[in-house]
Amino acid sequence: MSWVTTSTPDLWHHYGRVRATRDCAVPGTFYWSWSQDAGPGPEILGELTGRCVGDLGAGAARQAAHLAVHHQPARVIAVDGSPAQHAMATDLYGHLAPCLQIVQSDVVPHLQAMTRAYDVLYSVFGALDFTDPHEVLPAAAAALKPGGRLVYSTLAHYLNGTPAQPDAVAADIPAKTPDGEATTMRRWVLQQHVWIELLDAAGFTSITVDVLPAAVGGQRTADTLLVSAYHPA
Ligand SMILES: C[S@@+](CC[C@H](N)C(=O)[O-])C[C@H]1O[C@@H](n2cnc3c(N)ncnc32)[C@H](O)[C@@H]1O
């Protein structure tokens, strides 16, 4: 499990970097949609007061900071494998500890080390898009308490409009090294029935998938799949 090592470049080095220089506020809103400006919010996660919540692929931890400040969880653990994203999240929201804990780790070993620890796991276009679902979904199931909930948003199709995959396979998408060199990374963009089959195989129940249509047309807009599932009680 070597998602980021000292010998592999951090392909998330540039993500959110410009925004972090000018916007260090705790967001007042939380959205699942690709456009991040409309649609359902954290109510999809259920009651969070006193709960242990994990963000899988938290990036700069903006959503996790929102939950920590506005929803009274016992704690929110913002997990991200990228050294750059971890540093950015720590700079922006480290002051929200201990309610907000910012952890640098690949989500799979993190979840494997947290058996039955979480009430709620979620991801906003995060690690579930970029990690083999055959690894991360069973790990998430094992990390949830009985009756716990997993919710995530993911692309309903590729950003260029190409339909999602009919099988559980990744595609290589463009990425940049910290030096700006073009490379690729793997992204799982899957049809609804594929996610349902994978979640079912990982032991989840009460699986639902909602489509959140793109708010406006144009290039690089996208429909969102909002996926919700429960660990059996
Ligand atoms: C598109 S960003 C989304 C970040 C954040 N959820 C947001 O909405 O801004 C994807 C994030 O997932 C993280 N990520 C991808 N695969 C991961 C894995 N296996 N373990 C930990 N983090 C991962 C990346 O480092 C990156 O910060």
Side-chain angles (χ1 to χ4, degrees), residues 3 12 15 57-59 63 80-82 85 105-107 124-125 127 131:
W3 181 74
W12 294 99
Y15 182 76
Q63 290 98 353
D80 203 287
S82 157
Q85 294 299 317
S105 174
D106 187 305
V107 294
V124 181
F125 301 101
T131 310

Side-chain angles (χ1 to χ4, degrees), residues 1 3-4 10-13 15-16 19 31 33-34 36 55-63 79-86 103-110 122-132 135-136 153 185-188:
M1 188 56 52
W3 181 74
V4 171
D10 183 353
L11 302 185
W12 294 99
H13 174 86
Y15 182 76
R19 181 178 175 186
Y31 293 117
S33 60
W34 178 254
Q36 289 290 292
D55 185 330
L56 305 178
R62 292 185 187 276
Q63 290 98 353
V79 187
D80 203 287
S82 157
Q85 294 299 317
H86 177 261
V103 172
Q104 188 194 331
S105 174
D106 187 305
V107 294
V108 174
H110 172 81
Y122 72 93
S123 181
V124 181
F125 301 101
L128 276 81
D129 284 28
F130 300 96
T131 310
D132 187 341
E135 293 185 15
V136 70
S153 57
M185 68 170 94
R186 292 196 300 170
R187 184 167 201 158
W188 278 261

Side-chain angles (χ1 to χ4, degrees), residues 187-233:
R187 184 167 201 158
W188 278 261
V189 180
L190 309 179
Q191 294 182 11
Q192 294 184 42
H193 73 91
V194 185
W195 283 118
I196 292 169
E197 288 160 15
L198 288 162
L199 286 158
D200 183 57
F204 285 95
T205 60
S206 305
I207 302 161
T208 61
V209 183
D210 292 314
V211 181
L212 309 180
V216 288
Q219 281 199 323
R220 293 192 70 80
T221 63
D223 298 340
T224 299
L225 295 186
L226 180 55
V227 184
S228 173
Y230 288 83
H231 186 281

